[in-house]
Amino acid sequence: RKEVEQDPGPFNVPEGATVAFNCTYSNSASQSFFWYRQDCRKEPKLLMSVYSSGNEDGRFTAQLNRASQYISLLIRDSKLSDSATYLCVVRGNYGGSQGNLIFGKGTKLSVKP
Amino acid sequence: EAGVTQFPSHSVIEKGQTVTLRCDPISGHDNLYWYRRVMGKEIKFLLHFVKESKQDESGMPNNRFLAERTGGTYSTLKVQPAELEDSGVYFCASSQDWPSVNEKLFFGSGTQLSVL
């Protein structure tokens, strides 16, 4: 089983649509959770951290369910500029020390006019 | 402020040759990471420097890979001899707040390595 699993997509949606991405992680000791965005042939960039209480940043809402080891990202009112690959990222806690980032393969989103 | 810079952006070499990738972190960032994405796979951790010391090199695939960070500034990642399966994008990232759980990594734009 992959440590971080995501639906690869692609998700093809019209402008203005609401789209949701899901992600599951296998290590229950994981401590921190993130969504990164990666444009074609570019570096990953942090979109937002994900907190247990859920958090929102403008049109983006992230949720974490520790019991189910499940993370989600909701994008409302999609824009053309939202087209990218969205990476679910988890940081582990291995042996008591801060672990490195573990990436999912990413979910590709394409927003059409 | 300059971001994380990587050189070269692309490298095409033949199997058996040596290649050295360079990463300049954001000034003042003690933590430097190397990650790699091979085609069709997820981005994977290679190693982590704190200043000039290797904090974690558990992701290094084998002894053909050598990473250094002399002086705790820029880092190099040497692949010798390169094999076909080493092809991929090598990302460098830096941060200033490890081991905080809220550590934020800044990534460079990567080096696309093609081994023919």
Side-chain angles (χ1 to χ4, degrees):
Chain A
R1 183 184 172 187
K2 293 271 185 198
E3 290 188 81
V4 178
E5 295 211 58
Q6 296 181 251
D7 181 344
F11 284 59
N12 298 307
V13 302
E15 271 188 290
T18 295
V19 61
F21 305 138
N22 304 317
C23 164
T24 57
Y25 60 96
S26 61
N27 188 342
S28 58
S30 300
Q31 284 204 318
S32 315
F33 310 89
F34 311 91
W35 284 101
Y36 275 72
R37 171 195 169 127
Q38 186 174 24
D39 292 283
C40 189
R41 302 186 190 282
K42 299 282 190 179
E43 72 274 20
K45 290 186 178 178
L46 179 64
L47 179 65
M48 57 198 302
S49 301
V50 188
Y51 303 114
S52 296
S53 54
N55 48 297
E56 189 174 304
D57 182 2
R59 297 181 293 107
F60 298 83
T61 301
Q63 296 275 356
L64 167 64
N65 184 322
R66 283 187 182 270
S68 302
Q69 295 178 205
Y70 171 96
I71 307 162
S72 66
L73 177 68
L74 183 77
I75 305 175
R76 291 180 299 279
D77 188 23
S78 300
K79 311 290 185 192
L80 296 178
S81 57
D82 294 334
S83 297
T85 296
Y86 290 82
L87 304 169
C88 178
V89 183
V90 169
R91 184 192 300 282
N93 176 22
Y94 303 106
S97 65
Q98 187 69 289
N100 54 73
L101 298 182
I102 301 165
F103 286 79
K105 289 179 73 171
T107 298
K108 186 171 181 180
L109 171 66
S110 182
V111 182
K112 306 291 187 187
Chain B
E1 179 183 313
V4 177
T5 56
Q6 292 187 245
F7 182 83
S9 57
H10 293 81
S11 180
V12 181
I13 61 172
E14 292 187 353
K15 176 182 171 180
Q17 289 186 322
T18 297
V19 62
T20 300
L21 314 181
R22 173 170 169 145
C23 170
D24 287 75
I26 293 172
S27 178
H29 282 194
D30 288 340
N31 299 280
L32 187 149
Y33 300 82
W34 284 99
Y35 283 81
R36 173 175 80 166
R37 184 171 200 160
V38 298
M39 189 154 38
K41 302 277 191 179
E42 64 275 16
I43 296 171
K44 284 198 168 177
F45 168 81
L46 296 179
L47 89 161
H48 170 204
F49 284 100
V50 179
K51 297 185 180 178
E52 68 275 8
S53 299
K54 291 176 184 173
Q55 172 67 27
D56 181 355
E57 52 184 331
S58 60
M60 295 287 265
N62 52 61
N63 60 9
R64 295 186 294 102
F65 289 74
L66 175 64
E68 295 181 317
R69 194 184 181 197
T70 307
T73 54
Y74 71 91
S75 174
T76 58
L77 179 64
K78 183 162 74 172
V79 186
Q80 179 183 32
E83 298 289 345
L84 300 179
E85 64 264 25
D86 301 333
S87 296
V89 182
Y90 289 76
F91 290 106
C92 176
S94 72
S95 81
Q96 59 182 1
D97 44 8
W98 181 86
S100 166
V101 294
N102 297 315
E103 179 190 20
K104 183 175 180 180
L105 267 65
F106 296 85
F107 282 81
S109 54
T111 294
Q112 172 75 59
L113 174 64
S114 298
V115 183
L116 306 179

